[in-house]
Amino acid sequence: MALATDIFEDVGPKKLGWYFNVYLIRLWEEPDKINEKETNSINMVIQDVKDIQVQGPISKYLIKQWRDKFKEFKIYTMSNFIVADTRPRAQNFCKKTTVQPVEVPYFELRPFVMKDIPDLLHAESVDSYDGANIVSKVVGKQEYREVVTSKGIKTKRIADTIKDIE
């Protein structure tokens, strides 16, 4: 029998003692911007019992503690996160974070949260669609163009035209 757990929609910055049962859906390492051979952070997308997905970053100074401890599509109990106002619904690992694998899952894994294209187009911000998956068909594309980001970084962007496959 599973213990009572918190859910992501109740998360706020005034508490450290969160206790979640989550599926780890995706796991990746972010390289350091100066030295690409070093890892700057480990990031993961996790899903709670209510099918809400959030990002759970592990900062550079905690990588040794957590590297090789996780597998995608496995369920874990995770507790003691820091939640910052600046990153809503993101659980940041800290020294006191604990993670234990769960042998017998008691809720269903739903790695894809499908959203309709019109819903995305009418969203107030892209942040409201963190973790959303959209299935579409690319029906056209423009040539790439060079742009400068808000942080002054030169990059290239390409615009695609997509069509809802329904």
Side-chain angles (χ1 to χ4, degrees):
M1 184 72 159
L3 296 173
T5 64
D6 294 307
I7 55 176
F8 292 141
E9 62 190 16
D10 293 339
V11 168
K14 299 192 189 248
K15 178 179 170 183
L16 180 64
W18 299 103
Y19 183 83
F20 301 105
N21 279 312
V22 297
Y23 273 103
L24 192 151
I25 295 173
R26 184 161 183 261
L27 183 70
W28 72 97
E29 293 187 7
E30 291 284 334
D32 188 83
K33 292 182 181 186
I34 297 170
N35 182 357
E36 291 186 9
K37 292 180 181 179
E38 281 188 31
T39 302
N40 187 52
S41 66
I42 296 174
N43 292 292
M44 62 183 70
V45 175
I46 50 182
Q47 171 202 316
D48 73 2
V49 68
K50 296 263 187 166
D51 298 336
I52 297 172
Q53 295 178 6
V54 300
Q55 187 175 349
I58 300 172
S59 62
K60 189 173 190 168
Y61 75 97
L62 293 173
I63 288 174
K64 286 182 183 178
Q65 177 181 349
W66 295 108
R67 181 175 266 142
D68 303 322
K69 302 277 191 213
F70 302 105
K71 290 189 180 180
E72 290 178 330
F73 306 116
K74 297 292 183 187
I75 191 169
Y76 298 91
T77 60
M78 298 183 176
S79 59
N80 300 326
F81 290 93
I82 295 174
V83 179
D85 280 326
T86 57
R87 295 190 68 181
R89 291 185 15 182
Q91 278 57 47
N92 298 295
F93 279 64
C94 65
K95 283 246 185 230
K96 293 185 178 187
T97 300
T98 60
V99 177
Q100 295 293 321
V102 174
E103 297 301 319
V104 180
Y106 70 95
F107 66 96
E108 191 175 340
L109 170 64
R110 289 190 167 89
F112 302 108
V113 179
M114 306 307 287
K115 299 291 181 187
D116 292 326
I117 292 173
D119 291 341
L120 178 63
L121 294 173
H122 295 99
E124 290 181 25
S125 71
V126 176
D127 292 339
S128 64
Y129 281 92
D130 283 343
N133 298 282
I134 300 170
V135 177
S136 61
K137 179 179 180 181
V138 176
V139 294
K141 68 177 184 172
Q142 298 176 357
E143 291 295 319
Y144 77 87
R145 60 186 174 118
E146 293 186 7
V147 295
V148 178
T149 67
S150 61
K151 295 183 180 178
I153 300 169
K154 290 183 182 180
T155 188
K156 296 177 183 176
R157 301 278 188 218
I158 190 168
D160 291 331
T161 304
I162 59 174
K163 180 181 178 183
D164 190 335
I165 61 173
E166 287 187 9

